C-alpha cells in the first residue's frame, strides 16, 4: 500500500473510533490510556511551557496535562478530523487542536519545549519524516517523548490492514534509536517495557 492509502485507512478507522474513544468502552483503544502516566512522569522531569501532542486523538493526554498545569500552552494534532472535532468541543484554555499530519508538522521551527506521541507512531508510513519534523519544531534542548509498540520478532502488520486498520509497522528498539539519531536527536532513553511498549526520550 502507498503512504496515502495507509493514511486514508487510519482516518477511516479513527473516524469511527472517535465516537467511543472517551466512553470508557473503547475496546482495543482502552490500552492506550496505559501510556499516559509514563509520558506525564517523563514530561515532569523538566520544566516546560509549550507541548505538542502528535496523534492526539480526542485529546485525553492533553486533558490530563491541562488539569494539572492549566497555565501551560498545548497543541494537539491529529490526521482524523472527527477526532479533532471531539477534542475541540472540550474547550480547554490555552489549547488548540488542529487537523494535520505528524510526518509534516505545520508549525514554525523551534516552537515547542516538548513533543509527545502516544501510540500513534505505528500508523506513520514515513516514520523518519516524523522524527525529522519533530526535531525541527522543538526548541534547542527540547525533548521528544514517544511511546508505542515495539518487538524484536515481527515488523509488518498486513493482518491489521485486512481488518481496515491503518497500522503500518511495529519497530524494533534499534530502529527507533537509528531514526532519532538520523534526525539529529540525542537519545536519552530507549526502553522496552512491559506490554511490548517502547519508551523513547530524545533531546534536540
Amino acid at each position: 500500500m502507498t503512504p496515502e492509502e495507509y493514511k486514508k485507512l487510519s482516518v477511516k478507522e479513527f473516524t469511527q473510533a472517535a465516537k467511543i474513544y472517551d466512553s470508557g468502552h473503547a475496546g482495543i483503544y482502552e490500552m492506550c490510556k496505559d501510556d499516559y502516566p509514563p509520558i506525564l512522569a517523563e514530561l515532569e522531569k523538566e520544566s516546560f511551557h509549550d507541548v505538542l501532542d502528535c496523534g492526539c486523538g480526542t485529546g485525553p493526554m492533553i486533558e490530563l496535562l491541562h488539569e494539572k498545569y492549566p497555565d501551560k500552552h498545548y497543541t494537539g494534532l491529529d490526521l482524523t478530523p472527527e477526532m479533532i472535532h471531539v477534542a475541540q468541543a472540550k474547550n480547554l484554555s490555552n489549547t488548540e487542536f488542529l487537523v494535520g499530519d505528524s510526518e509534516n508538522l505545520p508549525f514554525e521551527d523551534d516552537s515547542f519545549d516538548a513533543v509527545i506521541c502516544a501510540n500513534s507512531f505505528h500508523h506513520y508510513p514515513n516514520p523518519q519524516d516524523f522524527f525529522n519534523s519533530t526535531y525541527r519544531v522543538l526548541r534547542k534542548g527540547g525533548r521528544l517523548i514517544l511511546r508505542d509498540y515495539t518487538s524484536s520478532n515481527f515488523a509488518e502488520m498486513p493482518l491489521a490492514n485486512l481488518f481496515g486498520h491503518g497500522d503500518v509497522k511495529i519497530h524494533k528498539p534499534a530502529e527507533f534509536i537509528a531514526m532519532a539519531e538520523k534526525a539529529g536527536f540525542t537519545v536519552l532513553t530507549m526502553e522496552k517495557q512491559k506490554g511490548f511498549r517502547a519508551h523513547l526520550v530524545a533531546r534536540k
Side-chain angles (χ1 to χ4, degrees), residues 58-84:
T58 58
M61 184 74 220
I62 288 179
E63 274 187 285
L64 281 177
L65 285 164
H66 184 273
E67 195 175 305
K68 201 164 185 184
Y69 304 104
D71 58 327
K72 309 295 187 187
H73 187 266
Y74 305 103
T75 303
L77 187 82
D78 201 280
L79 196 59
T80 303
E82 195 53 42
M83 285 287 198
I84 292 300

Side-chain angles (χ1 to χ4, degrees), residues 5-196:
E5 286 171 332
Y6 274 121
K7 290 177 185 183
K8 284 178 182 174
L9 266 182
S10 287
V11 170
K12 184 179 179 184
E13 173 186 350
F14 287 103
T15 298
Q16 293 300 313
K19 300 170 185 174
I20 58 166
Y21 210 79
D22 291 336
S23 67
H25 304 285
I28 60 170
Y29 306 112
E30 283 295 312
M31 70 178 71
C32 300
K33 296 172 184 174
D34 295 340
D35 288 318
Y36 304 157
I39 288 177
L40 182 60
E42 195 69 57
L43 191 59
E44 290 175 326
K45 289 179 182 178
E46 299 179 16
S47 62
F48 64 91
H49 187 263
D50 302 283
V51 179
L52 169 64
D53 185 356
C54 288
C56 67
T58 58
M61 184 74 220
I62 288 179
E63 274 187 285
L64 281 177
L65 285 164
H66 184 273
E67 195 175 305
K68 201 164 185 184
Y69 304 104
D71 58 327
K72 309 295 187 187
H73 187 266
Y74 305 103
T75 303
L77 187 82
D78 201 280
L79 196 59
T80 303
E82 195 53 42
M83 285 287 198
I84 292 300
H85 293 156
V86 173
Q88 288 170 336
K90 295 173 181 177
N91 291 316
L92 301 178
S93 62
N94 302 320
T95 301
E96 56 181 339
F97 289 104
L98 306 167
V99 177
D101 190 336
S102 293
E103 294 181 351
N104 184 21
L105 296 171
F107 307 108
E108 297 289 321
D109 296 1
D110 312 313
S111 294
F112 300 97
D113 299 319
V115 175
I116 59 177
C117 182
N119 217 44
S120 70
F121 183 73
H122 61 280
H123 288 278
Y124 302 164
N126 304 298
Q128 186 64 54
D129 291 353
F130 165 78
F131 277 103
N132 296 346
S133 209
T134 55
Y135 186 87
R136 181 183 63 77
V137 303
L138 277 168
R139 298 190 179 106
K140 186 167 177 56
R143 291 173 298 154
L144 167 64
I145 303 167
L146 184 154
R147 284 182 69 85
D148 206 278
Y149 300 112
T150 188
S151 175
S152 305
N153 302 320
F154 63 97
E156 303 295 337
M157 304 179 72
L159 286 177
N161 305 142
L162 293 179
F163 292 107
H165 294 276
D167 310 64
V168 181
K169 184 177 179 181
I170 290 177
H171 294 275
K172 299 173 184 175
E175 291 177 312
F176 282 101
I177 293 170
M179 286 185 283
E181 290 180 342
K182 186 177 180 181
F185 282 104
T186 299
V187 175
L188 305 179
T189 304
M190 176 63 230
E191 295 175 358
K192 185 177 176 183
Q193 300 182 347
K194 66 179 183 179
F196 299 101

